[in-house]
Amino acid sequence: MSGKLTIVDHPLVQHKLTLMRDVGTPTAVFRQLLREISTLLAYEVTRNLDMTTRRIETPLQEMDAPVLDGRKLALVSILRAGNGLLDGMLDLIPSARVGFVGLYRDEETLEPVQYYCKLPGEISDRLVIAVDPMLATGNSSAAAIDLIKEEGATNIRFLCLLAAPEGIARMHEAHPDVPIVTAAVDERLNEKGYIVPGLGDAGDRMFGTK
Ligand code: URA
């Protein structure tokens, strides 16, 4: 999947995304839709995981049956909105390890600053799926991937719900080795850094803040 952008155009994903974009969708429904859509996105982002075989016995005979290879993968939520994608992904990948990266934007330098980082052990041996619903400017996502790489990860994918062309370009420039999976690529960013047409502030909509 290297250097790649995958847009998940499955009808169920697109239908649920439309419901999420609608300004009239209440918080509880928004959160439920996000959970459902993240399960479907998890299915796509894990489509080509490494496989091996295990010798098992069915009620009829022995066989070499396919199983996932390697260490349990790691989901890394970029706080706070990334948390909205975790439960739906864990429904599908219950044994995944989970990490968190928190960044804020320094008001003077406008650079992302780390305030929290807790990643699963043996991160260098795991496939890491970094998750954030909105890939907007790409600055905080690129900084989060910097941090995850500094901790030793070498095999990373980025999963989001919506992406702006600016954010994709920034991520491809900073991390060409990190494939991006998204449900849609919107038109542009507005002057405040919101994705247009987008769905508004994902964190506010899922947590009912603002
Ligand atoms: N973050 C959001 O939650 N929404 C946007 O449109 C852009 C960044």
Side-chain angles (χ1 to χ4, degrees), residues 97-108:
R97 305 313 192 226
V98 180
F100 299 90
V101 172
L103 301 156
Y104 70 89
R105 199 159 72 133
D106 184 286
E107 293 298 330
E108 283 176 17

Side-chain angles (χ1 to χ4, degrees), residues 124-153:
S124 55
D125 296 337
R126 301 182 191 277
L127 167 65
V128 174
I129 303 175
V131 301
D132 190 347
M134 309 299 272
L135 177 57
T137 63
N139 288 337
S140 59
S141 305
I145 303 290
D146 282 339
L147 266 174
I148 295 167
K149 284 184 174 174
E150 278 164 25
E151 296 290 322

Side-chain angles (χ1 to χ4, degrees), residues 171-182:
M171 279 286 279
H172 277 164
E173 173 199 298
H175 299 292
D177 56 311
V178 175
I180 299 170
V181 174
T182 184

